Amino acid sequence: MWRQSRQGGNMLDPDQAKVVAHETGPAAVLAGAGSGKTRCTTERAARRLTESGVPSEGLVLLTFTNKAAAEMRERLRKRLPESVKLPWIGTFHSFGNRLLRSHGRLIGVPANATLMDADDASRMLDAFLAVPLPDKSRRIDAIRLHEAICAHGLDITDEADMEQIETLCASHGFSGHARRGFIEALRRYEAEKRRASVLDFADLILLPQRLLKRHADLRERLRQQLRDITVDEAQDTDAAQFRLLQLITPLDNTVLLVGDDDQAIYEWRHARPENMREFIERYGAVVYRLERNYRSTPAIVSGGAALVRHNENRLEKNPYAVRQAPPADTVRVVEYDDAESMADGVAERIAAAIAAGASPADIAVLYRKNRLARIVETALLRHGIPYRIKAGTDLLSYAEVRMMLAAGRLAANRRDVRALARLADLVPGLGAKGVGHMIAAGDDPLLQTGRLSAKAAEGVRALAAALEELYRRGPAELMAWCEEYGPFRTWLQRRAVAVLQSAGRPTDPQSIEQALRPAKARMSAVQTAMQKRLETMPEGGSDERWALALEVVAAGTDEAETSEAKVTLCTVHASKGLEWPTVHIFGFSEQLMPLARDGVVDNLPEERRLAYVALTRAQNEVVLHHADRLDLGAGSGLERLVPSRFLQEIAVGQAVECIDRRAGAPPTNDPDRKAAARDWIAQMRKAIT
C-alpha cells in the first residue's frame, strides 16, 4: 500500500504529490479516468498561492466547461484561507472574452460588444451565404466549413492564413466560384459583426489571437503576469485554443496540461488530442502519470484499459484499480432478440436494483444515438421507474430563454440587430418588416421609428426606455425585469395559453401560472448561471459586467437539477465527467458502438475512446446490452446486428459474463447455462473476426 502524503489537509498518493510539488517549467499530467485529477489540480493551485508566493493575478486555471470551472472554483475556495483571493478560473472562451473587454478596443472591439448565441450567428452567416450559395444544403456545408476554419485558428482577415483557408475549402469540396463566393460571404459577415458590435463564439478565441499578434507589448506584459497556467481536459482543445495558449506562454513558462488522450471524444468538433503530444515535444515538458483509479472496480478498470490499448499513437498509461474487487466483479453482457426485449431487460434489472434498495439516481443508461432513448423511455414508463433525459447544454433551445437573453443583449448593445429581431414579438405591430426599416435607417435602430405605424413606434419607444432601465439595473436583475416588464409577461402568458388550448385544458389564471412554471424554472437556471459568473469577477463597469454575464448565451447552461431521484438517460458524449454506481450501455453492437454510417466507421479510434468513456463512468457495475435485431432509423427497417467488436477487446483484459436472454436460451437456473454462455461468446468472437 502506498503511503499517503498530506498537503493542506488533503490526502495525496505519491503520483499526485509529485504534480502538486511541481514548481516551474512546462509539465504534462496524464490523468486517467477516476484518478482524482481535479483534487490534484486544485491542491496544487492552493499550494502555489499560499506557499510558493504566486499572486492570484499570476495564476490561471483554464477548463473545458463552465461547470468544471464552477466545481474547481468551489473546491479551491474551501481550500484557501479567506484572505487569499481566488485566481482566474474559467474556459478558454471566458479568458478570451475577458481579454477583449480589457484590450479589445486596440483592434476595434468595443467594450459593449455583445455575444450572439449559435442560432443567431448561424442565421446571420446564412443570410450572407444565400447569394453565392442558393442551395440550402450547400450553405449547411459552408457553415460547417466556417466552423472548421475557426477551430483551426485561421483569420479570414489575415492574408498569411489564406493558403490554409483555401486548403480547407478544397477539402470540403469548395473550389472556383463556390470558394470565392464563400470567402466573400465570410468577409461580409465579419464586417457586419463589427458594424453591429456583436461577436460569435469563435471570436472569443480568434480575436484575442489577433490582438496579441498585433500588439507585442501587450503580449509580453501578459506573459510576464501569467506565471502559472493549468489547462484542464487538454485533450479536448482544438488548434485555435492551442494557438492562443502558445501566444501567452513562452517555452520556459510554468504551464501544465492536464488530460487523458484516451478520453478524447470530440474530434468531430475539431478537438486535437495530439495537442498534448505536441506540447510535450515542443515545450520539453516533464510528464507525470496518474494511473491509480479510485472510481471503479478492478474488472471495469482492466476491461477498459484492455479496450483502449488497441488504439495506436496514444500516450502510454497503465491504469489500475485501488479498490478491492467486490464479489462477482465482472463486466456483464446480455443478448436479446430485439430492441424492445432489450429495453425491457434493462428496465427489469433497474426495477430489481431499486427493489433491493438502490436509488434511481445511482443508475444511468447510456447510448450512442439519441433515438434509442425513446425505446428505453417506453420500458421505464411501463415499469413505473422515474427517469430524466440529460440532453446536455440545451437551455438555449427554449424560446423564453432566448428572448430573455436577447433583452440583456440589446440593453447592453443597442446595435445588436439579431437581438432586436427576437424582441420584435414584444412590440405589437412591429414585425420583421418594421425591424428591417429600423435597421436600414441608422446605427441606433431603436431610435429609427419614422417608417413605423404610430402603435409600433410607441411600443419601440417604450421598449427602449425599459431597456435603458435594465442596463442600469444590471445583469443580476435580468429575470426580475422580464417578469416586471408588461409586454414580456404578456408574451409568456400568450405562449402558455396556446399550450393549454392545444391540450384542451382550461385557461384560467391558475392554470396559466402552473403552465408557466417550467419556463420560469429555465429562466431562473440561466439567471443563476449568470449570477455565479458575476461572482467570479472583480467589480467593473456596466459594459464589462453585461459582457461577462452574457457568456451563457454562447456557452450554454445545463437544465437545473431536481432533488427527485431519477435514473439518468443520456448519450455517451453527455456522460463525460460524470459517474454512477451502475451503468447500462444500451446497444453495444456493431453499427452503434462503433457507430457506422452506410456500413463504414469514420473514426474507429474515437469510437473506441467513446466506449472507454462509457465503461469508466461506472463505479461498481457495468452491463453491456446487445440486440440481434434493431431499427437503426436509416429507413431500412429491422437490421441484423452482431455484438460490438469492442467486446472481444474488453474480454482480453477481463473475464466477461455473458447472459443470453434470447428466445430458447437456457433459463437462469439451468446448470448448463455457463456452458451455453461460453458457446455464445465463442460464436460472438467468430462473428466479429
Side-chain angles (χ1 to χ4, degrees):
M1 184 67 178
W2 49 264
R3 184 176 178 181
Q4 292 177 316
S5 64
R6 183 176 295 273
Q7 300 284 350
N10 285 348
M11 302 300 288
L12 303 169
D13 67 41
D15 296 325
Q16 291 172 341
K18 290 177 183 176
V19 175
V20 170
H22 183 84
E23 288 280 343
T24 59
V29 182
L30 308 184
S35 63
K37 70 175 178 67
T38 303
R39 181 180 63 174
C40 185
T41 302
T42 52
E43 181 60 30
R44 181 182 178 275
R47 178 175 175 178
R48 296 289 285 163
L49 293 169
T50 58
E51 299 179 20
S52 300
V54 177
S56 298
E57 296 75 17
L59 195 145
V60 171
L61 296 170
L62 293 169
T63 64
F64 190 60
T65 65
N66 286 326
K67 184 178 179 181
E71 180 186 357
M72 199 171 289
R73 200 177 293 117
E74 184 178 353
R75 289 194 184 200
L76 197 52
R77 183 69 280 167
K78 291 178 179 177
R79 174 66 180 81
L80 291 173
E82 285 293 327
S83 58
V84 178
K85 181 183 172 185
L86 281 177
W88 196 92
I89 306 173
T91 64
F92 270 94
H93 293 88
S94 292
F95 178 82
N97 196 13
R98 188 65 185 275
L99 200 57
L100 290 176
R101 301 310 154 190
S102 301
H103 307 286
R105 65 187 181 280
L106 296 173
I107 54 170
V109 179
N112 71 334
T114 44
L115 199 56
M116 296 186 291
D117 62 45
D119 182 66
D120 277 346
S122 181
R123 287 174 183 269
M124 181 185 285
L125 178 56
D126 186 72
F128 288 111
L129 290 167
V131 173
L133 301 170
D135 182 74
K136 180 66 177 177
S137 64
R138 196 63 170 147
R139 294 204 301 276
I140 292 172
D141 292 339
I143 289 171
R144 290 172 178 159
L145 171 57
H146 175 245
E147 292 170 354
I149 290 170
C150 294
H152 280 75
L154 302 175
D155 189 343
I156 196 70
T157 68
D158 190 342
E159 285 300 320
D161 286 346
M162 284 308 301
E163 183 176 349
Q164 287 179 268
I165 291 173
E166 291 182 357
T167 300
L168 275 176
C169 286
S171 69
H172 283 71
F174 283 79
S175 58
H177 176 74
R179 184 189 69 219
R180 290 191 296 274
F182 168 75
I183 290 174
E184 178 58 28
L186 286 196
R187 287 172 173 157
R188 292 176 63 197
Y189 171 65
E190 292 299 317
E192 176 60 19
K193 284 191 294 179
R194 301 293 86 80
R195 188 193 70 80
S197 296
V198 296
L199 307 171
D200 61 24
F201 202 39
D203 285 330
L204 302 185
I205 303 296
L206 296 177
L207 292 181
Q209 285 186 52
R210 187 184 302 174
L211 173 68
L212 296 175
K213 286 179 181 178
R214 295 181 183 180
H215 296 274
D217 56 336
L218 174 62
R219 184 174 67 244
E220 290 308 311
R221 288 202 310 272
L222 202 61
R223 288 180 168 188
Q224 291 296 321
Q225 177 189 337
L226 305 180
R227 294 169 51 184
D228 197 301
I229 299 174
T230 296
V231 180
D232 190 31
E233 301 289 2
Q235 78 279 351
D236 294 328
T237 56
D238 59 25
Q241 292 163 336
F242 196 57
R243 279 191 174 195
L244 181 58
L245 180 68
Q246 290 174 314
L247 283 168
I248 62 175
T249 54
L251 295 179
D252 58 347
N253 255 31
T254 299
V255 55
L256 275 71
L257 261 61
V258 183
D260 180 9
D261 57 336
D262 289 336
Q263 298 185 70
I265 59 174
Y266 295 113
E267 282 192 73
W268 56 276
R269 63 185 189 196
H270 311 291
R272 294 181 77 251
E274 58 266 36
N275 281 346
M276 293 195 70
R277 183 182 297 276
E278 291 178 12
F279 169 79
I280 294 169
E281 295 171 356
R282 174 181 171 85
Y283 283 72
V286 176
V287 178
Y288 301 103
R289 289 176 170 81
L290 303 182
E291 296 177 323
R292 294 175 175 85
N293 183 301
Y294 297 92
R295 175 186 299 157
S296 307
T297 68
I300 296 169
V301 176
S302 61
L307 167 69
V308 81
R309 284 194 191 105
H310 284 77
N311 277 349
E312 299 177 353
N313 299 318
R314 54 184 288 273
L315 295 166
E316 190 59 37
K317 297 170 286 295
N318 295 292
Y320 60 95
V322 172
R323 296 173 54 185
Q324 291 187 342
D329 183 30
T330 187
V331 175
R332 292 179 175 83
V333 184
V334 190
E335 186 178 29
Y336 308 85
D337 287 301
D338 51 39
E340 286 68 29
S341 60
M342 179 166 62
D344 278 332
V346 171
E348 288 167 7
R349 281 182 167 268
I350 293 173
I354 294 172
S359 169
D362 290 339
I363 303 169
V365 183
L366 310 184
Y367 36 82
R368 185 64 178 85
K369 297 178 72 173
N370 272 307
R371 69 181 311 273
L372 297 177
R374 295 194 297 271
I375 307 171
V376 182
E377 275 190 276
T378 302
L380 295 181
L381 285 168
R382 259 196 319 266
H383 286 78
I385 298 170
Y387 68 91
R388 70 180 185 109
I389 297 178
K390 178 177 173 54
T393 55
D394 63 349
L395 276 180
L396 297 177
S397 65
Y398 294 97
E400 63 274 6
V401 172
R402 287 184 172 176
M403 185 72 84
M404 169 185 170
L405 290 169
R409 285 164 50 189
L410 196 58
N413 174 18
R414 292 166 64 108
R415 297 163 67 185
D416 190 336
V417 294
R418 297 302 310 181
L420 175 60
R422 283 200 185 278
L423 294 176
D425 284 347
L426 303 185
V427 182
L430 180 57
K433 187 176 181 180
V435 171
H437 289 319
M438 294 166 64
I439 294 170
D443 279 346
D444 191 342
L446 286 172
L447 297 178
Q448 314 303 326
T449 59
R451 297 186 62 183
L452 305 181
S453 68
K455 184 179 181 180
E458 183 183 355
V460 169
R461 286 191 289 271
L463 175 62
L467 290 173
E468 287 178 6
E469 180 198 356
L470 174 58
Y471 178 78
R472 289 192 297 270
R473 290 172 63 168
E477 295 290 322
L478 177 56
M479 183 175 177
W481 178 90
C482 291
E483 292 181 313
E484 296 167 12
Y485 183 52
F488 197 107
R489 191 169 60 247
T490 301
W491 177 82
L492 276 177
Q493 289 172 344
R494 283 202 310 267
R495 291 179 59 83
V497 168
V499 170
L500 291 170
Q501 288 176 336
S502 66
R505 293 171 57 192
T507 56
D508 58 276
Q510 186 176 355
S511 298
I512 292 173
E513 188 59 34
Q514 188 173 4
L516 282 172
R517 286 177 185 170
K520 289 185 176 181
R522 289 188 283 266
M523 293 168 66
S524 179
V526 172
Q527 182 69 80
T528 299
M530 293 174 67
Q531 187 62 43
K532 288 181 178 178
R533 182 71 185 91
L534 291 170
E535 290 170 356
T536 66
M537 62 170 290
E539 288 296 324
S542 293
D543 288 341
E544 184 180 13
R545 294 186 69 79
W546 271 110
L548 293 175
L550 287 168
E551 282 179 8
V552 296
V553 174
T557 305
D558 286 324
E559 292 224 42
E561 300 285 344
T562 64
S563 57
E564 185 181 355
K566 297 180 179 181
V567 173
T568 298
L569 309 184
C570 68
T571 64
V572 180
H573 282 101
S575 75
K576 181 76 179 297
L578 304 175
E579 60 186 61
W580 298 268
T582 299
V583 169
H584 297 271
I585 303 178
F586 191 79
F588 205 76
S589 313
E590 287 292 305
Q591 301 190 66
L592 285 173
M593 195 169 284
L595 186 67
R597 296 178 177 85
D598 299 323
V600 178
V601 179
D602 291 333
N603 189 337
L604 183 60
E606 177 152 335
E607 290 295 318
R608 186 175 280 113
R609 292 193 292 266
L610 267 169
Y612 173 73
V613 167
L615 282 172
T616 55
R617 298 313 90 194
Q619 298 169 333
N620 303 329
E621 181 183 25
V622 62
V623 187
L624 316 177
H625 301 266
H626 160 76
D628 287 346
R629 296 183 303 279
L630 189 66
D631 185 353
L632 297 174
S636 56
L638 286 177
E639 295 190 38
R640 190 79 181 180
L641 303 182
V642 298
S644 169
R645 71 188 75 184
F646 297 153
L647 184 54
Q648 184 178 6
E649 297 174 1
I650 292 167
V652 170
Q654 175 59 45
V656 175
E657 179 187 351
C658 300
I659 303 169
D660 196 341
R661 289 283 303 271
R662 296 174 297 176
T668 304
N669 59 359
D670 191 313
D672 295 328
R673 181 180 174 122
K674 290 185 178 180
R678 284 195 300 269
D679 291 343
W680 178 76
I681 196 169
Q683 295 171 12
M684 178 271 301
R685 285 176 170 166
K686 185 178 179 180
I688 63 177
T689 54

